[in-house]
Amino acid sequence: MSSRSNEGQAGDMGHPAVVIAVRVVVRLVVMGAALTGYYAANPILFPDDGGGANIGAGLIGFGLVVLVSFAWANVDGRRRGAGPTAATWAIVAMAFGLLWLLGLATIEADDSMSLAERVRFDAFLAVWTAGLVFLPAGVGAAVGGTAHRPDGRRGPDET
């Protein structure tokens, strides 16, 4: 019998839908806060030289989203298996894409374009961002899922 107890684990929080919702919200809050912090620090990290868009800063932001999605889904896959992890991250990806679109549209709406016009104009970004989260998360879930042990036991090489 395993010496580890199941008390206090996520499965004890109640109804499975509540557990999934909590997991999704935690991931959205952490990723959103990290991305907000990154973009708030952008003017300091990458001062504007008057040359227009800073492509490198945007690519670093995308890279951070990919890296965090992969790594966190990998850890989730090890803990819960590939299937449940991929399902959770699919919800996270859809919500993150939608929230990114709404946040961007809110910030960039001005006299030339209303909020609704900005959302219609940039709607493709929701799909792009969802893919930017879900594709690496799916790979991370699959890789992590290969090390998943449903009974919670550790292998002979793990101490």
Side-chain angles (χ1 to χ4, degrees), residues 8-71:
Q9 291 184 354
D12 294 333
M13 289 193 312
H15 193 274
V18 173
V19 173
I20 292 169
V22 168
R23 287 181 180 141
V24 167
V25 168
V26 166
R27 282 148 185 78
L28 287 171
V29 167
V30 171
M31 289 179 65
L35 202 58
T36 300
Y38 171 75
Y39 279 109
N42 255 350
I44 297 165
L45 298 173
F46 306 103
D48 186 13
D49 62 357
N54 188 341
I55 302 298
L59 291 175
I60 291 171
F62 290 153
L64 291 173
V65 169
V66 167
L67 182 64
V68 169
S69 299
F70 173 81

Side-chain angles (χ1 to χ4, degrees), residues 82-152:
T85 297
T88 299
W89 279 92
I91 297 167
V92 170
M94 289 185 290
F96 195 77
L98 180 63
L99 291 172
W100 182 305
L101 170 65
L102 293 175
L104 185 66
T106 301
I107 290 169
E108 292 186 356
D110 57 14
D111 292 337
S112 65
M113 286 182 115
S114 70
L115 180 63
E117 291 170 327
R118 182 51 89 176
V119 167
R120 277 195 305 272
F121 182 74
D122 289 337
F124 72 94
L125 288 177
V127 176
W128 162 255
T129 306
L132 201 61
V133 171
F134 184 68
L135 293 176
V139 173
V143 171
T146 62
H148 174 66
R149 298 185 184 278
D151 58 7

